[in-house]
Amino acid sequence: MTTGISLGAFHAVNFALKRADAFPLAIGLSGNYDPAAWNAWGERGESAYFNNPFDYVAHMGGDHLEWLRSRLSILLVCGQGMWEDTTGSLESSKRLAGLLGAKGIQHELDLWGHDVPHDWPSWRAQIAHHLPRFC
């Protein structure tokens, strides 16, 4: 299993999508999964493409996609409170869940309330809620 919070959620999910043999479960808390939205990269070449799940998962197919469908499970958790919108986490989590669903990759989207901000107390509660079912 791989887990991450905020930027770490992006890395956890990206690692699992690339290496489901090593990480068959990913838990992402309040992640923004679209690096293109960060405006941090210059020219978008091959390295950027293969590290943006919105790019490479959208074009995935064939045997590799079938293998991911049989092997991988992704849990996306996000609050709907303060900073979840300004960080892009809420919209990105919803979009990624839609893309995973369209590709038939096992996933779950768990959106917490409008009183749950992008912060450590929220993530502590979210991981405490979800982790026991995987241990």
Side-chain angles (χ1 to χ4, degrees):
M1 169 179 20
T2 181
T3 63
I5 296 167
S6 197
L7 182 57
F10 159 77
H11 288 294
V13 169
N14 195 37
F15 287 149
L17 285 164
K18 292 177 169 203
R19 292 293 314 270
D21 58 319
F23 305 107
L25 170 64
I27 301 173
L29 306 175
S30 297
N32 184 329
Y33 305 98
D34 185 6
W38 307 342
N39 298 320
W41 291 343
E43 185 94 14
R44 289 191 43 142
E46 187 174 291
S47 295
Y49 175 89
F50 286 107
N51 281 292
N52 185 336
F54 286 104
D55 287 342
Y56 69 84
V57 172
H59 298 102
M60 197 177 283
D63 291 340
H64 184 68
L65 178 58
E66 288 301 320
W67 182 79
L68 281 177
R69 288 173 178 158
S70 71
R71 176 83 178 171
L72 180 61
S73 181
I74 297 175
L75 171 60
L76 304 171
V77 183
C78 192
Q80 298 181 76
M82 191 180 311
W83 306 302
E84 293 289 32
D85 56 350
T86 58
T87 61
S89 298
L90 180 57
E91 183 59 31
S92 186
S93 295
K94 290 177 184 179
R95 282 185 52 223
L96 184 58
L99 178 58
L100 294 171
K103 290 295 182 173
I105 297 172
Q106 185 178 347
H107 71 284
E108 180 183 342
L109 175 63
D110 182 21
L111 297 179
W112 288 44
H114 295 277
D115 59 334
V116 180
H118 188 93
D119 67 7
W120 285 104
S122 299
W123 301 321
R124 211 173 4 254
Q126 292 165 345
I127 199 71
H129 174 78
H130 284 288
L131 199 55
R133 69 181 163 138
F134 300 111
C135 295

